Amino acid sequence: MLELYGTKLCSRLLLGTARYPSPSIMADAVSRSGTEIVTVSLRRETAGGRNGGAFFDTIRSLGVKVLPNTAGCHGVSEAVLTAKMARELFSTDWIKLEVIGNHDTLQPDVFGLVEATRILVGEGFQVFPYTTDDLVVAERLLEAGCQVLMPWCAPIGSAAGPLNPTALRSMRAHFPDVPLIVDAGIGRPSHATVVMELGFDAVLLNTAVAGAGDPVLMAAAFSGAIEAGRHAFEAGMLEPRDMAVPSTPVIGQAVFS
């Protein structure tokens, strides 16, 4: 069972709620995925003078825990303000913290991320930081009060899958007792299986499901893939070998000359 900030969860899939063809398809995908946590961007849904009230009502009706995020924020003050607004709207201390540093890659500004984390933790937030796979940054985030880390495996929305499995494996080894959730870059169910086989605790998805030809079916596919990867990790997998090993024993068998 997965535990995040004292909340115990059966599902290891976190699902985003943006860019679906319609709210009803989004709701069906959430249901089919079995997720117990959805993320929602306050800034995106209220951008350009739009009223996100109807959308937020739909989110509340899903019957799952809401993890608001600060998607689209490019500075510390902007991210902190957005987090405070999200807490007021959704009555939760949880916040997925994003402080974007590069417009092209959407790579997090890790310096601003640590600073914003210190501020928000000091104000009672339970922070889920969107970060890189850098071990030093991870240490700083934990020192700032995070109890969960959310490293990327590739740029947001790229669908490239894990670009640096060695770094992800190293992060898992360095922080064996910290919940690690791969966030950003997953494009296929097989990508999700790979990171779960590395020992990660969960996967957060959005574009890979919302942008699929059939988002509801894809949500189910990811759910199964994540479960399979976790089972494989817990079962203990064979390591690759550089030579053949017969699956059928030859000792005691008749030998014909």
Side-chain angles (χ1 to χ4, degrees):
M1 181 169 287
L2 176 63
E3 184 170 339
L4 303 174
Y5 287 108
T7 298
K8 294 183 178 181
L9 305 157
C10 294
S11 174
R12 294 177 181 272
L13 168 60
L14 289 70
L15 195 60
T17 57
R19 304 184 183 277
Y20 287 84
S22 70
S24 63
I25 291 177
M26 181 269 291
D28 288 344
V30 168
S31 176
R32 188 74 179 272
S33 73
T35 185
E36 295 167 83
I37 299 175
V38 297
T39 64
V40 58
S41 171
L42 179 68
R43 192 173 186 274
R44 180 184 293 118
E45 296 304 328
T46 57
R50 290 188 297 164
N51 183 356
F55 178 78
F56 295 142
D57 287 342
T58 299
I59 295 297
R60 294 188 189 94
S61 72
L62 296 175
V64 296
K65 191 167 181 64
V66 177
L67 174 60
N69 67 46
T70 62
C73 292
H74 292 261
V76 173
S77 59
E78 184 182 14
V80 170
L81 177 59
T82 301
K84 291 179 178 179
M85 294 171 62
R87 178 159 66 179
E88 289 291 325
L89 181 62
F90 291 107
S91 300
T92 180
D93 291 326
W94 280 19
I95 190 72
K96 181 194 167 191
L97 182 60
E98 298 182 25
V99 183
I100 301 302
N102 185 281
H103 290 274
D104 294 326
T105 66
L106 301 182
Q107 181 170 333
D109 170 1
V110 294
F111 305 101
L113 180 65
V114 173
E115 182 183 350
T117 295
R118 292 189 189 280
I119 293 171
L120 292 173
V121 169
E123 298 197 18
F125 282 89
Q126 296 173 321
V127 177
F128 294 69
Y130 164 59
T131 184
T132 63
D133 52 20
D134 186 283
L135 298 180
V136 177
V137 175
E139 289 280 10
R140 297 295 181 269
L141 289 167
L142 294 175
E143 291 170 2
C146 290
Q147 296 179 25
V148 177
L149 296 173
M150 303 183 74
W152 70 351
C153 73
I156 292 174
S158 67
L163 297 180
N164 194 345
T166 299
L168 294 175
R169 188 178 290 109
S170 180
M171 178 169 275
R172 178 70 285 174
H174 276 75
F175 305 107
D177 301 320
V178 177
L180 300 179
I181 303 171
V182 169
D183 175 21
I186 296 289
R188 300 183 178 189
S190 57
H191 295 160
T193 301
V194 168
V195 298
M196 294 301 292
E197 288 177 350
L198 293 177
F200 279 75
D201 296 283
V203 171
L204 193 157
L205 304 163
N206 192 162
T207 307
V209 173
D214 186 336
V216 178
L217 186 58
M218 187 61 77
F222 270 107
S223 178
I226 289 168
E227 184 176 7
R230 182 64 185 182
H231 286 334
F233 171 74
E234 292 175 336
M237 295 170 290
L238 290 176
E239 293 300 319
R241 299 162 174 168
D242 59 3
M243 61 181 293
V245 178
S247 58
T248 302
V250 296
I251 297 176
Q253 292 185 346
V255 177
F256 298 93
S257 58

